[in-house]
Amino acid sequence: MLEKNYRPEDVEKRLYEEWESGGAFRCNRVHGEEGGLGDPYAIVIPPPNVTGSLHMGHALNNTMQDILIRYKRMTGGDVLWQPGTDHAGIATQMVVERQMEKEKLTRHDLGREKFIERIWKWKAESGGTITGQLRSLGASCDWERERFTMDEGLSRAVRKVFVQLHKEDLIYRDKRLVNWDPLLHTAISDLEVEQREVQGTMWYFKYPLADDPSRHIIVGTTRPETMLGDTAVAVHPDDERYTDLVGKDVLLPIVNRRIPIIADDYADPEKGSGAVKITPAHDFNDFEVGKRAKLLVINVLDREAGIRADDLEIWRWAETETGAMTVLAEKGDDGNQLTERLPDHLRGLDRFEARDVILKDMERLGLLDKIEENPMTVPYGDRSGVVIEPFLTDQWFVRAEVLAKPAIEAVEQGKTVFVPKNWEKTYFEWMRNIQPWCISRQIWWGHQIPAWFGPDETIFVELTEEEAHAAAEKHYGHPVELQRETDVLDTWFSSALWPFSTLGWPDKTPELAKYYPTDVLITGFDIIFFWVARMMMMGLHFMKDVPFHTVYIHALVRDEKGQKMSKSKGNVIDPLVLAEKYGADAMRFTLTAFAAQGRDVKLSESRVEGYRNFVTKLWNAARFCEMNECKPVADFDPRSCSMTLNKWIIGKLAECQRDVEAALDGYRFNEVAGALYQFTWGTFCDWHLEFAKPVLQGDDEAARAETRATTAWVLDNLLHLLHPIMPFVTEELWRQLAEDRPYSLVTGKWPQLGGDLINAEVAAEMDWVVRLVTSIRAVRSEMNVPAGAKIDALLRNADDGSQARLATHRDLIERLARLEKIETLEGDVPDGSVQAVLDESTIVLPLASVIDVAQEKARLEKEMAKLNGDITKADKKLANPGFLAKAPPEVVETEKERREEARAARSKLAEALEMLQGAL
């Protein structure tokens, strides 16, 4: 016998351990009694960082994947959900280094080899946190195939890809600007840069003309410390104020270097003075200007972003053999690299200390023109929390523009589609403007780049050190000593190979042949550039096929007010806390129910609590069935049913299955949840079980037996349909409601009900009863009829069909609508009656003896007046340009939602008032 209450804490862990240990999640599994394998279906999990813990984005993402995986598994597919974690280079190195700080150790104290050993030890002890959390949410990954981006197999794939791309001239080494983290001493990707809005300062400096110091040109800067590396001043070609100055030189203050005034479209005549200082080594836009004008490039900062203590390196632009522009060191006549020495009082200063000194110097020289407040965006490292510097260093790059072309064509040709489709525009915009991809990082944890340097800096890129030495000996004609590149690869480089490296590539494994390309990738929009696009490029280049046919982009999970969750706001909702409090099924169903395409999920604890009530409703319905001996009947044939009640619920179940499948195939997850919720709570619990009570409690044994068997059959199939979203409670009910089940629900077959079970005539009859009872209940509620009061009802102008339905189901209607009696009416409507339309007929409820009609009218008018006031206030606010411009988007959206809710409520009140008019 089922317990009175469902206790997820007693069920979830037990069931999951049984599923996993029993191999329920394995791919290549024989499905069903026929012993065959279905079509392959594969999803690769977006590998979470090994340092991470489950947040609400993970919960949404993995719930969606698990729904598809469980559905495809039940429909007989040979299903692989490939799990794994990412080594998360910088994040993981920081975790271990912070641990070592407590021991007053640095990684340099240990050395590279010992430090990496320590990280592997940490990974073995603590790196499985997030995979354990995914299990608690019910994720049915094939855990026996779990991979890690630094497994030997995946590392071999990384080396293979790097070497091949280098030999194809698609990877090269160059000196370029990168996002430099001065605390971590490494280049970082754009994704790892946090742009913060701050109130900054704009300083305006006078740069004297070199040949006429009495004249000067004014430039503005927010970073005075970089002026030491200025190599030009740019003005717009059409700016008449400076036409006579283009081609002349100014004398750069403090260092007294002559630099040219150049014409370039980058300078904005409408901004500041219209003249801008150009520092190619310390600004990405200036770097491009420097490339166009072939300016000197001077790096004035060191690895800590302080002013260099040694001589500055000066670099010039030169044509390479391939015709591409690159930065090269140029030698002077004496064979020494061109250098410049900074004033002693600036050398070795922190960048912000140097800023203060330079400002004082410029003021002392009379060259500080003015100072203005300047709202600006400043880049910070998302992990280090320090200001990021554009920094000129030797880095490894991928010619992404070459790899991007096939990836663009694949989406244009529909080989891979985005859902929702509008995200294709975002993909194309980035891919068509793609820049070289910096893939090197100056840290220790990661895939060390397989490159070795000879005595003259010749580079040898090979799979192994032995092959590198052989290549060097062939090049030099004798053995030489080589130095291994110390940089490691960007984490996105290895994760770009994830769809095929996890399947055993570069070996030709059976899994690779079967599951590549995968079917769908579910991910957030924020990594379309950094991960999705790169998987497309690598998959097409190495596998000659797209890595997935569909990319489903899910929205953000926000708080109930529509605000983005953040620790600083204190509005972060922990999915594990909610799952522990209300059960994983309630958590999963909530996320699914609100996961509409293109719309952010607004989440609150109350919504999860509401869907916990849905789980409870299902449990209670199952207990009702059990107590009324609705037990599964072997070989039950739903087509053999003779009773209208049973034919109706069978047809409704078939409709539900049809709608659920269509929504799943279209990735409309909220519609999946909506169809199941409506059928479970609305149709099965609220109507069928109520319709069935008189039969189950009656004396007609044949009717009782058919209804019991039908109800049990419908519940069994409903558990199958609900299982992908709510795996735990459905499995528990499946096991407890009958003995000796032939299979666990997790490996059960998806129902194949067929459209022939939908009987239009039966549906019309019973749906009419539902709509009649619903209408009467609605009027009772709107008119404030006491719940316990039994009233009369009349059906006016009913045709023969409606009269026949009324005659057949009169007892049922009177019981469910709490009526004394219901009859047909041929004559006039009695005074004091409220009316509602139902198809061709009119429902007439004589209420004069039950409620004070005039008083009820006054109440409704008062409520409507309040709503009118609320709507007018909201309309004014939403028509105010100031409010729309200043209020956060989520506040504006909330105001719109409140207005729509008020309008809907007013509409219902208007309908009620209209009904009352006839009663006066």
Side-chain angles (χ1 to χ4, degrees):
M1 184 72 180
L2 288 171
E3 296 287 340
K4 184 176 181 181
N5 298 310
Y6 173 60
R7 298 174 57 84
E9 64 272 22
D10 296 338
V11 171
E12 293 175 355
K13 185 177 181 181
R14 167 174 53 82
L15 285 181
Y16 195 92
E17 288 176 352
E18 288 182 23
W19 289 335
E20 185 176 354
S21 63
F25 308 151
R26 290 178 191 148
C27 66
N28 203 37
R29 184 177 57 82
V30 172
H31 184 88
E33 296 175 1
E34 72 280 3
L37 284 172
D39 294 334
Y41 181 87
I43 295 178
V44 291
I45 198 171
N49 286 356
V50 71
T51 59
S53 59
L54 196 73
H55 57 63
M56 199 57 78
H58 288 132
L60 173 64
N61 182 292
N62 285 279
T63 294
M64 289 175 165
Q65 292 178 77
D66 196 42
I67 289 169
L68 293 177
I69 287 293
R70 289 178 181 271
Y71 168 58
K72 291 295 184 178
R73 192 182 285 131
M74 293 176 77
T75 56
D78 179 4
V79 174
L80 169 62
W81 187 8
Q82 175 63 55
T85 51
D86 191 284
H87 66 278
I90 294 175
T92 304
Q93 181 160 317
M94 284 186 65
V95 167
V96 176
E97 286 192 283
R98 284 172 180 162
Q99 292 175 347
M100 291 169 57
E101 282 178 11
K102 299 174 183 177
E103 304 171 34
K104 298 184 178 179
L105 288 174
T106 70
R107 70 176 189 266
H108 300 287
D109 295 327
L110 294 184
R112 184 170 191 143
E113 186 176 338
K114 293 291 185 184
F115 177 68
I116 291 174
E117 284 180 8
R118 178 150 182 165
I119 295 182
W120 277 109
K121 182 180 178 183
W122 172 87
K123 192 261 181 185
E125 294 172 353
S126 307
T129 298
I130 195 163
T131 56
Q133 292 170 337
L134 286 172
R135 285 174 167 89
S136 70
L137 198 65
S140 60
C141 301
D142 189 346
W143 294 110
E144 294 176 5
R145 293 187 50 81
E146 184 177 353
R147 306 304 299 270
F148 179 54
T149 48
M150 283 187 62
D151 286 348
E152 176 49 38
L154 272 66
S155 296
R156 187 160 63 94
V158 168
R159 292 192 295 271
K160 165 77 173 172
V161 166
F162 186 94
V163 172
Q164 181 173 326
L165 290 178
H166 184 267
K167 293 186 184 301
E168 294 171 348
D169 195 34
L170 293 174
I171 283 181
Y172 61 97
R173 193 169 185 262
D174 198 359
K175 185 178 288 291
R176 285 180 178 266
L177 279 192
V178 295
N179 298 310
W180 184 261
D181 190 309
L183 181 65
L184 301 178
H185 298 164
T186 183
I188 61 175
S189 72
D190 291 341
L191 187 66
E192 296 161 319
V193 176
E194 177 187 341
Q195 301 292 346
R196 299 184 189 175
E197 300 291 333
V198 300
Q199 185 62 46
T201 304
M202 179 74 77
W203 291 274
Y204 291 88
F205 294 155
K206 301 174 183 177
Y207 282 12
L209 294 184
D211 297 329
D212 184 4
S214 65
R215 298 181 66 190
H216 57 259
I217 189 168
I218 295 175
V219 299
T221 181
T222 60
R223 301 166 67 215
E225 63 278 8
T226 66
M227 69 170 287
L228 302 172
D230 288 359
T231 57
V233 171
V235 297
H236 195 275
D238 300 329
D239 194 335
E240 296 179 356
R241 293 174 294 175
Y242 302 115
T243 302
D244 64 322
L245 296 182
V246 174
K248 297 183 183 295
D249 288 348
V250 297
L251 196 62
L252 182 64
I254 300 178
V255 296
N256 296 320
R257 181 193 317 125
R258 291 176 74 102
I259 61 176
I261 300 173
I262 64 172
D264 193 279
D265 290 341
Y266 170 62
D268 184 353
E270 304 297 324
K271 188 173 181 179
S273 67
V276 292
K277 59 191 282 299
I278 302 299
T279 321
H282 297 292
D283 183 275
F284 289 102
N285 291 314
D286 291 5
F287 185 81
E288 296 303 317
V289 174
K291 181 163 58 174
R292 290 193 290 271
K294 295 185 174 62
L295 300 175
L296 294 176
V297 182
I298 304 175
N299 186 359
V300 301
L301 300 179
D302 58 22
R303 286 165 56 87
E304 283 77 24
I307 304 300
R308 294 172 65 100
D310 53 358
D311 288 344
L312 303 180
E313 294 178 344
I314 301 179
W315 305 82
R316 296 185 188 276
W317 290 95
E319 293 285 350
T320 66
E321 293 178 359
T322 62
M325 300 301 297
T326 186
V327 181
L328 297 173
E330 184 168 298
K331 303 295 183 180
D333 294 337
D334 58 358
N336 295 320
Q337 186 171 300
L338 294 175
T339 61
E340 177 180 283
R341 184 179 177 85
L342 288 177
D344 289 341
H345 72 290
L346 291 172
R347 295 171 68 171
L349 291 181
D350 170 79
R351 54 183 162 166
F352 300 120
E353 292 175 343
R355 176 182 294 183
D356 294 337
V357 172
I358 289 169
L359 289 171
K360 290 176 182 177
D361 284 351
M362 294 297 284
E363 189 171 17
R364 176 177 52 79
L365 294 169
L367 300 177
L368 178 59
D369 183 63
K370 63 179 179 178
I371 303 173
E372 293 179 347
E373 289 188 352
N374 182 61
M376 55 191 291
T377 302
V378 176
Y380 282 79
D382 66 349
R383 293 187 176 89
S384 66
V386 301
V387 176
I388 297 303
E389 288 287 347
F391 192 58
L392 189 67
T393 61
D394 290 311
Q395 303 286 346
W396 294 86
F397 294 88
V398 172
R399 297 190 195 280
E401 70 282 1
V402 177
L403 295 175
K405 290 178 182 177
I408 292 170
E409 292 173 0
V411 176
E412 288 175 336
Q413 296 169 4
K415 293 178 181 177
T416 293
V417 298
F418 280 74
V419 180
K421 192 173 179 61
N422 61 286
W423 287 112
E424 289 181 6
K425 181 181 178 182
T426 304
Y427 173 83
F428 286 138
E429 285 177 354
W430 189 75
M431 293 290 273
R432 288 167 180 159
N433 296 282
I434 200 167
Q435 298 298 310
W437 173 17
C438 177
I439 56 173
S440 44
R441 298 290 181 266
Q442 290 67 53
I443 58 176
W444 289 355
W445 173 245
H447 296 100
Q448 192 171 354
I449 291 175
W452 287 261
F453 298 94
D456 59 356
E457 296 298 306
T458 299
I459 301 173
F460 302 94
V461 174
E462 302 291 346
L463 290 172
T464 65
E465 186 171 359
E466 291 74 20
E467 291 178 20
H469 276 286
E473 184 172 348
K474 181 178 180 181
H475 173 79
Y476 291 110
H478 56 83
V480 295
E481 186 176 341
L482 299 178
Q483 295 295 323
R484 175 78 182 264
E485 168 66 89
T486 57
D487 287 359
V488 301
L489 287 164
D490 173 18
T491 300
W492 295 108
F493 189 88
S494 52
S495 59
L497 318 181
W498 189 249
F500 55 93
S501 64
T502 52
L503 297 175
W505 187 91
D507 295 334
K508 295 181 178 180
T509 65
E511 291 81 7
L512 188 66
K514 181 185 291 187
Y515 300 113
Y516 190 94
T518 64
D519 288 85
V520 59
L521 176 77
I522 296 183
T523 188
F525 64 87
D526 53 336
I527 55 174
I528 292 175
F529 312 147
F530 301 98
W531 191 44
V532 177
R534 287 163 180 170
M535 284 190 288
M536 288 287 289
M537 292 189 286
M538 293 299 193
L540 284 161
H541 192 77
F542 289 96
M543 296 296 297
K544 310 306 178 188
D545 200 352
V546 294
F548 22 72
H549 298 306
T550 302
V551 179
Y552 180 87
I553 303 295
H554 65 75
L556 289 175
V557 183
R558 299 179 179 271
D559 70 10
E560 60 185 316
K561 297 178 181 178
Q563 294 185 331
K564 190 174 180 179
M565 294 184 193
S566 70
K567 292 180 181 178
S568 61
K569 292 179 182 176
N571 65 342
V572 174
I573 303 174
D574 189 332
L576 296 172
V577 171
L578 294 185
E580 184 176 348
K581 187 172 183 180
Y582 300 110
D585 290 323
M587 180 77 252
R588 290 166 60 109
F589 205 97
T590 306
L591 291 170
T592 309
F594 288 94
Q597 288 183 12
R599 191 185 311 158
D600 287 342
V601 176
K602 291 184 180 180
L603 189 67
S604 66
E605 182 171 345
S606 62
R607 284 176 169 167
V608 181
E609 184 178 12
Y611 284 108
R612 188 273 311 274
N613 296 340
F614 175 65
V615 174
T616 301
K617 185 78 171 180
L618 176 66
W619 185 267
N620 289 341
R623 290 188 78 242
F624 172 87
C625 293
E626 186 180 46
M627 288 188 291
N628 284 275
E629 300 182 31
C630 300
K631 297 179 180 179
V633 174
D635 301 322
F636 174 78
D637 181 5
R639 292 166 181 81
S640 67
C641 289
S642 60
M643 296 176 63
T644 299
L645 161 67
N646 296 325
K647 290 179 180 180
W648 175 74
I649 193 61
I650 288 168
K652 287 296 181 183
L653 178 69
E655 288 178 8
C656 178
Q657 182 217 1
R658 178 196 63 197
D659 294 344
V660 167
E661 288 181 357
L664 281 169
D665 292 340
Y667 304 103
R668 298 186 302 274
F669 292 93
N670 63 310
E671 293 182 19
V672 176
L676 288 167
Y677 185 94
Q678 179 57 42
F679 176 81
T680 304
W681 194 309
T683 304
F684 183 69
C685 297
D686 283 356
W687 292 109
H688 172 71
L689 295 185
E690 289 300 321
F691 288 164
K693 279 181 182 178
V695 181
L696 296 174
Q697 297 164 7
D699 298 327
D700 187 332
E701 184 55 43
R704 195 163 61 233
E706 181 184 300
T707 303
R708 283 172 173 167
T710 300
T711 303
W713 180 86
V714 169
L715 179 57
D716 272 1
N717 280 279
L718 176 57
L719 294 178
H720 284 72
L721 297 180
L722 284 166
H723 180 77
I725 303 182
M726 303 196 309
F728 294 109
V729 67
T730 53
E731 181 76 81
E732 185 68 6
L733 287 172
W734 172 256
R735 295 184 181 190
Q736 290 205 38
L737 286 173
E739 298 177 358
D740 301 323
R741 294 284 199 184
Y743 53 84
S744 292
L745 194 55
V746 69
T747 56
K749 293 182 182 179
W750 187 256
Q752 300 295 325
L753 304 183
D756 64 306
L757 292 176
I758 303 172
N759 185 313
E761 185 178 339
V762 165
E765 178 176 339
M766 295 307 298
D767 287 350
W768 182 88
V769 175
V770 169
R771 288 187 292 114
L772 173 60
V773 173
T774 301
S775 296
I776 295 172
R777 286 175 174 176
V779 172
R780 290 180 64 113
S781 174
E782 290 160 7
M783 298 297 115
N784 266 345
V785 175
K790 282 197 172 186
I791 60 175
D792 290 344
L794 302 168
L795 200 60
R796 189 168 183 260
N797 297 329
D799 63 16
D800 292 343
S802 294
Q803 291 189 45
R805 291 166 183 166
L806 178 60
T808 301
H809 301 288
R810 177 176 278 106
D811 291 345
L812 200 59
I813 294 166
E814 290 174 350
R815 180 171 66 86
L816 295 178
R818 297 193 298 280
L819 300 176
E820 191 68 48
K821 64 178 183 297
I822 180 168
E823 304 286 352
T824 56
L825 175 66
E826 299 297 335
D828 296 332
V829 174
D831 293 339
S833 295
V834 175
Q835 302 176 54
V837 175
L838 178 67
D839 299 339
E840 85 296 339
S841 57
T842 302
I843 304 169
V844 178
L845 300 178
L847 296 179
S849 61
V850 183
I851 62 171
D852 186 325
V853 176
Q855 182 179 334
E856 190 58 29
K857 179 175 180 290
R859 181 185 70 82
L860 293 173
E861 288 175 340
K862 183 178 179 181
E863 288 186 16
M864 181 172 280
K866 181 180 182 303
L867 286 172
N868 283 331
D870 292 342
I871 292 167
T872 300
K873 183 178 178 182
D875 284 340
K876 287 180 179 178
K877 187 179 284 190
L878 291 168
N880 182 350
F883 170 75
L884 296 176
K886 295 178 182 179
E890 60 268 17
V891 173
V892 175
E893 187 61 30
T894 298
E895 193 65 31
K896 289 179 179 178
E897 289 177 0
R898 287 174 179 167
R899 181 179 64 180
E900 292 309 308
E901 289 171 1
R903 285 175 173 174
R906 182 179 64 179
S907 178
K908 288 181 69 78
L909 289 178
E911 291 176 6
L913 275 170
E914 188 176 348
M915 287 189 288
L916 270 181
Q917 290 300 119
L920 288 171

